[in-house]
Amino acid sequence: MLADAIRSETYRFTRNRMAVFWSILFVPVLFLAIGTAVQFFTKARMAEMAEALPPEMTAEGGPMALSGTLDLGQSLLAQAGDFANPIVMLFVLIGAAIIYAGDYRWETWRLTSARNTRINLVAGKVALVFGVVLVALATWLVFGLIGELIKAAIFERPLAFSFADERPGQFAGLIAVTVTRVMQFTMVGLLAAVMSRSLLAALFVPMVVAIGQFFLMQALPLLAWSAGDLQAHLLIPGLSHDSLKTLVQGGPDAAAAPDGLAWKAITGLTVWTIVPLVAALAWFSRQDLSKE
Amino acid sequence: MTFVIETRGLTKTYGSVRALDGLSLSIPRGGVYGVLGPNGAGKSTLFRILLGLIRPTAGEAVVMGGAVGDVAASRRMGSMIETPRFPPFMTARQVLGWLSAAHGLKADAARVSGWLERVGLAEAADRKVRGFSVGMLQRLGVAAALITEPELVILDEPTSGMDPPGIQEMRALIRSLAERDGITVILASHQLLEVQRVCDRVAILNRGRLVREGAVSELTSSGERLRLSVTPISKTLEVLAALSYASGSLDGDAVVATLSRPETPALLRALVEAGVDIDEARWVGADLEAVFMTETGSVQMPESIHAG
């Protein structure tokens, strides 16, 4: 029965080409195009930039390295860690909002609601959004690697793929953290969609909440809170995401993290994922679906 | 007799408005069953409850042997209520494929094409729904209700927005669903003439209550009258007033007499003896519209009823 809900949601979503393009393809294509243009620009101005930047920046292994071996393993890790950026989240949210609020917008609940339980109907949507997020992540990684290959070709740099030791674990950890963050963001959209029956609300409410949380994060020092305070994580899931990412990536920042940061961050991200989902399920299970 | 739908004391209130008021109704399996009523009678509310879209305030409803919300039972039912709407980016064929998937069926191309053919949408099968007329949406709505090959189908105003040939085709389709496919069809319509032609039984609702239920033939025959074209009319009315077994009233340029059929010769004899010239005497059945008007106490008929 849940399989039926997932199958029907997938069938409908994949026929909505615009939704598929904007939520999955647009951002990777955009970033690839901009990145490639920047690489060509940099190549044209390479000599001037090399003189203007500090030598450690452009040396091999530096953040603006223009020569030396390009490690695709490192690039893959960086790309995975950058997945839950605001632009990706915004465009994935377009697809999620269409999935969550489409039946209200098109008045199609009456066609499907008698064929499955209400829990399954919502669970089917959430499962599809999870699938969309995974496909968006895969597309993001593939286009990121294509960008690195283009960069290597432009600068005539040799390629390597180093993915041993701690890197598989880091990669898995980063994917878990970033995918959870994107799902958490869409859960706010789910709750907004169910409560308001509106596609626009499903889009704008998560954005407004995220903007509010961004400003709250900037105001942490004013509140005398730090990243180690549980209440900060319970209010700002973005802080939890950033904290977990730092811990997974390791290095000096992770070593300097306050005690208990991991479980506080996991708690914050989990609460912001589960609470909207449970609230949406509870609301939807008693909702009058004749008022679409 | 087995019933596809049984309601007992079904009540639904919206604030101070009672949309359904203790409705008890049993709809038998087989044939075409009409649910009639003026606007606000509670038809749509009844259907919404049966489909699980809303919950009743009180009472209970059993659909296909299961309580409302029992998905296994609901899956044996198809429905089209109010003006059907579909995702605008999908074609008619994709809509049926999508609903097949929602029902756990594979998108069987032959089945989808078959239903599109039966509702008259074969040529528009691969056109996007956003360009469909109201009549085409109605046809697709009917196909959507039937794509899972249910045992019971609820159709709310299935001919709304259709042209006369379309209405005729839909009427034939509905009869064939009952007769050829063995599907029980529950139909709500304001088109009383259509209902009379296509339904086997009807229920008339008014203000959320059941006011009349029965076979269409019974309801219409119970209102039989003798229509008399006579001269002079005033003398005829006097004779009728004097008789114990009959009564009469003026209907345009004729007199309509109410009496039992065996009394007909006696009445005609009495009229002739009183010097009344009888041009024509004809038994006429009450049509469903007359029964509807009587039972619902409608002073003014809705326009859509006149159109029927």
Side-chain angles (χ1 to χ4, degrees), chain A residues 8-92:
Chain A
S8 72
E9 289 291 341
T10 306
Y11 185 101
R12 181 170 59 178
F13 182 73
T14 51
R15 267 70 181 177
N16 192 348
R17 290 180 195 161
M18 295 306 287
V20 171
F21 172 75
W22 289 110
S23 57
I24 294 174
L25 268 179
F26 175 70
V27 176
V29 169
L30 177 74
F31 274 58
L32 179 64
I34 291 173
T36 303
V38 167
Q39 301 305 334
F40 276 112
F41 178 80
T42 307
K43 171 83 172 174
R45 301 291 177 97
M46 195 160 63
E48 296 166 39
M49 286 179 71
E51 286 174 15
L53 291 170
E56 63 271 19
M57 291 279 284
T58 54
E60 186 174 348
M64 296 290 287
L66 300 173
S67 61
T69 303
L70 204 157
D71 184 356
L72 291 180
Q74 178 60 41
S75 302
L76 197 61
L77 279 181
Q79 192 75 3
D82 289 342
F83 177 60
N85 70 67
I87 298 177
V88 167
M89 292 206 302
L90 176 63
F91 280 86
V92 169

Side-chain angles (χ1 to χ4, degrees), chain A residues 1 4 8 11-12 15-16 105-108 110-118 285-290, chain B residues 48 51-55 71 74-75 81-83 85-89 94 97-98 101-104 144 148:
Chain A
M1 297 285 265
D4 298 342
S8 72
Y11 185 101
R12 181 170 59 178
R15 267 70 181 177
N16 192 348
R105 183 173 182 80
W106 303 313
E107 298 180 27
T108 45
R110 70 183 74 154
L111 294 172
T112 54
S113 59
R115 299 173 199 270
N116 218 323
T117 65
R118 293 205 175 184
S285 63
R286 298 199 61 82
Q287 191 166 43
D288 174 354
L289 290 179
S290 67
Chain B
R48 286 170 185 163
L51 292 173
L53 296 174
I54 54 175
R55 291 163 190 269
V71 175
S74 297
R75 282 190 161 211
I81 63 163
E82 297 164 355
T83 307
R85 297 275 308 271
F86 304 98
F89 52 84
Q94 287 172 344
W98 162 53
H103 197 80
T148 56

Side-chain angles (χ1 to χ4, degrees), chain B residues 67-81:
Chain B
V68 169
D70 175 350
V71 175
S74 297
R75 282 190 161 211
R76 294 159 64 198
M77 172 175 68
S79 65
M80 181 192 76
I81 63 163

Side-chain angles (χ1 to χ4, degrees), chain B residues 4-295:
Chain B
V4 288
I5 286 173
E6 289 180 279
T7 71
R8 278 183 287 276
L10 204 60
T11 301
K12 178 68 182 177
T13 57
Y14 294 101
S16 60
V17 178
R18 288 177 91 82
L20 282 181
D21 191 2
L23 178 69
S24 295
L25 179 66
S26 297
I27 299 181
R29 179 182 288 276
V32 183
Y33 193 96
V35 178
L36 309 178
N39 292 334
K43 305 185 297 292
S44 294
T45 302
L46 171 64
F47 290 162
R48 286 170 185 163
I49 290 173
L50 296 177
L51 292 173
L53 296 174
I54 54 175
R55 291 163 190 269
T57 310
E60 61 178 28
V62 175
V63 179
M64 303 302 295
V68 169
D70 175 350
V71 175
S74 297
R75 282 190 161 211
R76 294 159 64 198
M77 172 175 68
S79 65
M80 181 192 76
I81 63 163
E82 297 164 355
T83 307
R85 297 275 308 271
F86 304 98
F89 52 84
M90 294 179 106
T91 65
R93 193 184 300 282
Q94 287 172 344
V95 165
L96 298 188
W98 162 53
L99 292 172
S100 297
H103 197 80
L105 298 172
K106 287 186 178 168
D108 179 344
R111 192 181 65 247
V112 168
S113 296
W115 280 112
L116 288 170
E117 182 84 38
R118 280 187 79 176
V119 299
L121 280 179
E123 289 178 11
D126 296 307
R127 279 170 51 190
K128 292 219 187 305
V129 167
R130 67 164 58 92
F132 276 22
S133 65
V134 175
M136 291 168 82
L137 288 173
Q138 291 288 122
R139 288 168 189 266
L140 184 55
V142 172
L146 294 165
I147 188 63
T148 56
E149 299 183 350
E151 296 166 50
L152 163 69
V153 65
I154 295 175
L155 302 175
D156 188 3
E157 301 285 353
T159 56
S160 171
M162 284 187 177
D163 54 14
I167 291 172
Q168 206 165 11
E169 285 172 29
M170 188 56 68
R171 191 196 309 151
L173 172 65
I174 290 169
R175 282 309 318 176
S176 79
L177 291 175
E179 290 163 8
R180 192 181 106 186
D181 302 288
I183 297 171
T184 305
V185 182
I186 298 176
L187 176 74
S189 179
H190 280 131
Q191 310 275 337
L192 296 180
L193 191 59
E194 288 301 317
V195 170
Q196 188 169 343
R197 284 175 177 169
V198 82
C199 290
D200 301 303
R201 295 181 71 85
V202 293
I204 299 175
L205 307 187
N206 194 27
R207 296 178 183 174
R209 292 182 180 177
L210 178 67
V211 292
R212 193 78 186 267
E213 199 270 344
V216 171
S217 55
E218 284 171 21
L219 295 182
T220 52
S221 67
S222 65
E224 269 190 327
R225 305 283 188 275
L226 184 64
R227 194 168 198 281
L228 298 161
S229 296
V230 288
T231 313
I233 286 175
S234 56
K235 188 72 181 171
T236 307
L237 291 171
E238 281 174 24
V239 171
L240 282 165
L243 293 172
S244 58
Y245 56 84
S247 62
S249 61
L250 190 60
D251 180 17
D253 58 356
V255 171
V256 174
T258 304
L259 72 165
S260 62
R261 279 203 179 217
E263 307 286 359
T264 311
L267 170 64
L268 295 179
R269 210 164 31 245
L271 290 173
V272 170
E273 285 170 1
V276 173
D277 289 335
I278 304 172
D279 293 333
E280 186 186 24
R282 181 163 53 95
W283 281 97
V284 290
D287 60 14
L288 204 52
E289 183 173 307
V291 177
F292 178 89
M293 297 302 292
T294 306
E295 298 297 346

